[in-house]
Amino acid sequence: MGKRTEWDVCVIGSGAGGGVMAERLSATGMKVVVLERGRHYSPDAFMQQDELSNVIRQDFFLPDYLETQRETSSDTAVPGKYSLMAQTVGGGTVHWGSWSWRFRPDEFRVASVEGEVPDSSLADWPISYEELSPYYAQAERALGVAGHAGGNPFGAPGQAMYPNPPHVYRPASRLIEQGARRLALNPFPIPMAINSRIYGGRGKCMNSGFCSSFGCPVQAKASSLAVHIPAALATGHCTLLANCRAVELLEGEGDRLRGVRYLNEQGKEQVLQARQVVLAAGSIGTTQLLLQSTSGRFPRGLLNTNDQVGRNLMCHVFAMVNFEMDDPSHSALGPPGNVAVDDFHPSNASRGFIRGGVIGEAIEATPIVSALKAASYLGRSQRVWGHDLSDYLARYPYIGGLIMVGEDLPVASNRIDLDPEHRDSQGLAVARITHRRHDNDIRLARYFEKRMADIAEAGGARRTWATDYTGVKTGSGHIMGTCRMGNDPQTSVLNRWCRAHEVKNLWVVDGSCFPTSGGYNPTLTIYANAYRVADHFIALNSRGELS
Amino acid sequence: MDRRHFLKLTAASLASAMAAHPQALLAAAASHRPAVLHVDELQTLEAACDLLLPPVNGISVRDAGVVNFIDKLLLHEGADQLPLYRSGLGLFRAAARAAGADNWSALAAATKQRFLEQLEDGHLAHSPAEQQALFQSLRFNTLLGFLAAPRHGANQHSAGWQAIGFPGHLHYQGGVSDADVAGLPPH
Ligand SMILES: Cc1cc2nc3c(=O)[nH]c(=O)nc-3n(C[C@H](O)[C@H](O)[C@H](O)COP(=O)(O)OP(=O)(O)OC[C@H]3O[C@@H](n4cnc5c(N)ncnc54)[C@H](O)[C@@H]3O)c2cc1C
Ligand code: SF4
């Protein structure tokens, strides 16, 4: 890399959105550089992971990361690691659970479907399901999603055949399946981006647990680390700069950026020049970088003239029900979850809330987290120790679970901004999370808790118990919003192609562009949208219209 | 500082302090000789941990080396918790002395149980917030010492995992077949 190299494209962040952009653009011969603040692991390093490092301390994927969190702007934000999103080559796709859903068509036009909802900033997406559908299929092929097309009568229409067959059901999956059938519901295999057979040059899943929250040592689990970044590097047109953190987007002339200032591996400041910049640092990282990049034109941060950068932060609402069964659940074996029920997804205000979510099998957590949930099993928050605790731990092999991923409503005051009180080890203001749930989220979660308990009981569970997850914010790992796409530059940050309204050569291609969150895990939609944007980018470039 | 704030701070510092020097704990885990706690303190802690987490399927906190883990934790990742333990262990000593015992571990089971309940409620003669922080930390560290991966000096010989029937990192062992996941009887 010569000192005066001008790159065609600089991609910041190598997760779901960044991985696809790097691969697609470099495949057409564009000269691409990827800046990634985290390190580049080789898969064998994932043999060294364990629960204490990855989940409790979070020093494997987030060795040097700090943010602060509070409920409302009048609270004091408390420092910690809340968001669980891996800072590493491949981003959150390295340790995701790989549940890979298409959003339903109505999830792209929630404002039109639901009308005005007090205290929520609902908006329609500027794109439709139909427009995204072929890109969903492209993402499913690239990731080798395993599933059963047509298995979900409540899912998006026109689901193409999945490239791989579903994973085998464990005993806990069968209990759920049986319970759902007895209640006349429609259980089906969760679509998962985990190889159920050798596919795409990657091995078959070893069924070894330690999966969600962990990297896959054999790359059976698809990720940008295993799929997109290697493909980008193989073009010979992509350079990956790991351990390099972008700290400022540099304005040039005429509504354009001229490049990016970053800290290299040694912490030394560097500047690179690029004709186009693709920001894909995740909803939090993207906001942080935009707000850090101030100028005379953008005193409140780049693209933030309308004060929309960082707003409408969403993170889904979860509900969780565990159950105890007579036989071993085999939760510790196989990929994370196998069977789903989607009958309660369609919005129906007569239930006391709008919107919905998907129910999926949740394998019981790894041992420490499972132990920390003993209070829910015992139904009390004091005296969660002694023989009752030991008795609970002895039941570990017999525990299974259900989780609901629910659509949370966007709220304008839920946001990321820069914390004026706290700085990280590199001296930069940390991201501050301000998030308080809309009441609708809580009502939705409570409804689903009951439905999940019904399913487990109908399937023959000895006992069921719920753990309240409504207090979890970005710790869900599903972090969306903050840089909405939309047709109106007054109320959004990006246009329908994820291109900034206010800066011509800046694109934001990650979870931050979501106007609403959908009632499914978000990442297949991030991937599909990135393929869509990449196609448009390439078309403009080939017509010489990429200004 | 109000009690809730104190507890919050302690939880935050638990996590951040533990992230600070992971290698140091790995190195210290090699030795079973007490590092920061005195022998009588270890004896007290072991008795307390045993009440917090009595044997699971016959496997005890002693089998898993929980107190050795806590001792090393207080030297390294959890060093900022050491003052909490030192002053808290003073309460255990005082209770033993009042009952004429050499060590808290020698007290009657019901007395020890009652003591831990009071510690959890913050009802012993001491700052309630500190008592509760110590109780939470002790319970949390007991679970870590029983269930965290052996490479951290915890869960020695995977005793804790054996107790709860957790198979550990099966990738090391070449994985598991689909038939084993399904758990169906062979055709
Ligand atoms: C435990 C867990 C399980 C999950 N399971 C699922 C699942 O089953 N299904 C699903 O759909 N989703 C799941 N998710 C969510 C999924 O991981 C995210 O939706 C997805 O990774 C987001 O993609 P992204 O492109 O927005 O950002 P990310 O994947 O977060 O990528 C952003 C990248 O940018 C880098 N970066 C940030 N700032 C900078 C900077 N200044 N300079 C350079 N680089 C920077 C980061 O290090 C990171 O690599 C899970 C998340 C977690 C935590
Ligand atoms: S369970 Fe399968 S997909 Fe998950 S980490 Fe192991 S081999 Fe990879």
Side-chain angles (χ1 to χ4, degrees):
Chain A
M1 181 175 54
K3 252 200 160 157
R4 259 176 248 110
T5 305
E6 190 186 22
W7 301 91
D8 292 325
V9 186
C10 172
V11 177
I12 301 170
S14 62
V20 169
M21 292 301 282
E23 180 195 340
R24 301 301 297 149
L25 305 188
S26 58
T28 64
M30 288 182 227
K31 210 152 42 104
V32 176
V33 62
V34 178
L35 286 179
E36 167 53 57
R37 72 176 279 180
R39 58 186 283 193
H40 193 179
Y41 279 111
S42 102
D44 54 298
F46 300 141
M47 293 295 254
Q48 301 304 319
Q49 304 165 110
D50 62 73
E51 189 185 15
L52 187 53
S53 304
N54 283 52
V55 184
I56 306 292
R57 294 176 178 164
Q58 292 184 48
D59 53 11
F60 192 90
F61 285 125
L62 296 159
D64 181 22
Y65 184 73
L66 188 67
E67 54 198 359
T68 63
Q69 181 176 279
R70 59 184 183 173
E71 284 256 312
T72 69
S73 56
S74 47
D75 298 329
T76 306
V78 180
K81 289 181 186 178
Y82 299 102
S83 302
L84 309 180
M85 292 303 290
Q87 312 280 308
T88 183
V89 173
T93 67
V94 176
H95 63 21
W96 69 326
S98 87
W99 292 12
S100 298
W101 311 94
R102 297 177 175 209
F103 281 9
R104 291 158 45 94
D106 64 295
E107 291 175 325
F108 293 90
R109 39 189 174 80
V110 181
S112 302
V113 171
E114 305 292 353
E116 190 96 347
V117 175
D119 302 323
S120 170
S121 48
L122 283 178
D124 286 349
W125 290 51
I127 59 169
S128 65
Y129 171 74
E130 289 68 30
E131 186 173 348
L132 208 52
S133 178
Y135 297 104
Y136 272 128
Q138 185 173 3
E140 286 159 355
R141 282 193 302 275
L143 301 172
V145 177
H148 171 45
N152 178 13
F154 301 93
Q159 174 70 56
M161 279 285 284
Y162 287 108
N164 283 309
H167 288 267
V168 65
Y169 280 4
R170 60 173 70 76
S173 332
R174 293 199 297 275
L175 182 147
I176 295 166
E177 182 186 38
Q178 195 166 41
R181 288 210 194 289
R182 284 187 182 143
L183 297 173
L185 303 172
N186 295 273
F188 65 98
I190 298 172
M192 276 186 286
I194 290 180
N195 278 356
S196 54
R197 59 183 174 190
I198 295 171
Y199 178 88
R202 295 177 293 111
K204 177 193 175 302
C205 172
M206 293 168 73
N207 292 322
S208 299
F210 275 108
C211 196
S212 186
S213 297
F214 301 90
C216 177
V218 293
Q219 303 206 326
K221 178 162 71 173
S223 65
S224 293
L225 173 70
V227 176
H228 302 94
I229 294 297
L233 297 177
T235 64
H237 301 296
C238 178
T239 299
L240 170 66
L241 299 180
N243 297 309
C244 289
R245 177 181 182 187
V247 291
E248 189 183 359
L249 303 175
L250 301 168
E251 281 182 67
E253 303 196 338
D255 291 352
R256 293 177 57 79
L257 298 180
R258 65 184 161 86
V260 180
R261 191 162 62 84
Y262 69 98
L263 301 176
N264 72 8
E265 201 163 350
Q266 290 75 38
K268 223 173 121 202
E269 269 193 22
Q270 308 279 321
V271 169
L272 62 77
Q273 287 157 26
R275 280 190 272 277
Q276 301 288 326
V277 176
V278 174
L279 185 47
S283 293
I284 295 180
T286 284
T287 303
Q288 202 176 2
L289 191 48
L290 289 172
L291 297 182
Q292 265 161 221
S293 306
T294 53
S295 66
R297 184 179 165 207
F298 294 108
R300 293 197 289 190
L302 196 67
L303 310 184
N304 200 23
T305 313
N306 58 9
D307 190 27
Q308 286 301 302
V309 172
R311 290 196 181 274
N312 306 303
L313 169 71
M314 297 167 288
C315 44
H316 280 149
V317 60
F318 287 179
M320 162 75 87
V321 166
N322 282 106
F323 57 85
E324 187 190 348
M325 51 195 287
D326 291 332
D327 299 317
S329 65
H330 287 192
S331 266
L333 310 181
N338 279 336
V339 60
V341 176
D342 211 16
D343 298 60
F344 305 108
H345 205 127
S347 185
N348 175 358
S350 71
R351 299 187 294 193
F353 59 89
I354 58 166
R355 311 313 301 157
V358 67
I359 295 174
E361 176 191 359
I363 56 166
E364 178 47 352
T366 32
I368 301 168
V369 176
S370 179
L372 296 175
K373 291 196 304 180
S376 310
Y377 174 82
L378 296 175
R380 57 180 195 249
S381 57
Q382 293 278 101
R383 310 286 185 263
V384 186
W385 49 278
H387 290 287
D388 289 348
L389 176 59
S390 301
D391 175 62
Y392 165 72
L393 289 182
R395 291 166 198 270
Y396 183 76
Y398 301 91
I399 295 178
L402 287 152
I403 189 167
M404 185 276 312
V405 175
E407 180 167 355
D408 58 332
L409 298 190
V411 173
S413 54
N414 286 344
R415 68 184 305 186
I416 301 294
D417 64 2
L418 300 180
D419 194 316
E421 311 267 319
H422 296 274
R423 293 191 171 262
D424 62 23
S425 63
Q426 290 175 311
L428 295 163
V430 305
R432 176 170 62 183
I433 301 156
T434 305
H435 185 276
R436 179 185 214 156
R437 288 216 167 278
H438 194 285
D439 286 349
N440 190 78
D441 301 357
I442 314 272
R443 291 196 295 273
L444 187 151
R446 298 289 173 252
Y447 172 87
F448 273 86
E449 271 171 12
K450 293 202 187 81
R451 301 292 79 78
M452 293 192 290
D454 292 344
I455 292 170
E457 280 158 19
R462 293 164 71 100
R463 174 174 179 165
T464 65
W465 61 98
T467 300
D468 184 8
Y469 274 22
T470 56
V472 173
K473 306 176 191 300
T474 53
S476 67
H478 296 181
I479 311 173
M480 299 156 286
T482 69
C483 291
R484 274 185 165 177
M485 59 169 151
N487 294 323
D488 181 357
Q490 296 305 313
T491 56
S492 57
V493 180
L494 311 170
N495 72 11
R496 70 187 318 281
W497 298 110
C498 290
R499 193 174 190 174
H501 288 303
E502 294 185 286
V503 173
K504 278 192 194 129
N505 61 342
L506 174 59
W507 308 67
V508 178
V509 192
D510 55 22
S512 55
C513 68
F514 282 31
T516 52
S517 71
Y520 293 112
N521 311 53
T523 311
L524 191 74
T525 301
I526 301 176
Y527 271 125
N529 184 52
Y531 281 111
R532 180 186 72 93
V533 173
D535 261 12
H536 177 71
F537 191 108
I538 292 164
L540 288 184
N541 188 47
S542 63
R543 296 200 299 262
E545 292 170 11
L546 204 54
S547 51
Chain B
M1 189 171 3
D2 70 77
R3 203 186 85 195
R4 279 191 54 213
H5 189 53
F6 183 85
L7 292 178
K8 245 194 233 161
L9 269 185
T10 310
S13 62
L14 267 181
S16 63
M18 290 202 313
H21 322 277
Q23 295 310 319
L25 180 57
L26 296 187
S31 161
H32 279 228
R33 296 167 69 165
V36 289
L37 297 171
H38 307 301
V39 176
D40 67 313
E41 291 175 327
L42 288 172
Q43 204 180 339
T44 298
L45 272 190
E46 190 151 86
C49 294
D50 192 50
L51 275 176
L52 292 173
L53 184 60
V56 180
N57 286 321
I59 297 177
S60 68
V61 291
R62 176 188 287 261
D63 298 327
V66 167
V67 172
N68 180 44
F69 168 76
I70 295 177
D71 178 54
K72 305 305 181 292
L73 186 82
L74 295 176
L75 178 65
H76 298 290
E77 284 85 345
D80 67 333
Q81 298 165 54
L82 185 58
L84 193 63
Y85 276 71
R86 282 256 180 268
S87 70
L89 280 162
L91 289 174
F92 285 75
R93 248 192 311 275
R97 222 174 284 131
D102 281 348
N103 189 284
W104 185 84
S105 60
L107 298 181
T111 312
K112 289 186 285 193
Q113 172 85 15
R114 179 84 198 109
F115 178 94
L116 288 179
E117 288 173 4
Q118 288 179 306
L119 188 70
E120 181 179 20
D121 297 339
H123 287 170
L124 295 169
H126 191 53
S127 144
E130 270 190 47
Q131 286 174 60
Q132 292 179 311
L134 175 68
F135 179 86
Q136 284 186 12
S137 163
L138 197 51
R139 181 179 172 280
F140 183 65
N141 289 337
T142 302
L143 290 172
L144 291 192
F146 200 66
L147 297 172
R151 64 191 284 264
H152 293 281
N155 181 18
Q156 69 179 358
H157 311 307
S158 303
W161 286 353
Q162 284 171 40
I164 67 162
F166 180 68
H169 216 319
L170 291 167
H171 297 99
Y172 278 124
Q173 296 161 39
V176 175
S177 71
D178 284 355
D180 283 340
V181 175
L184 290 167
H187 293 296

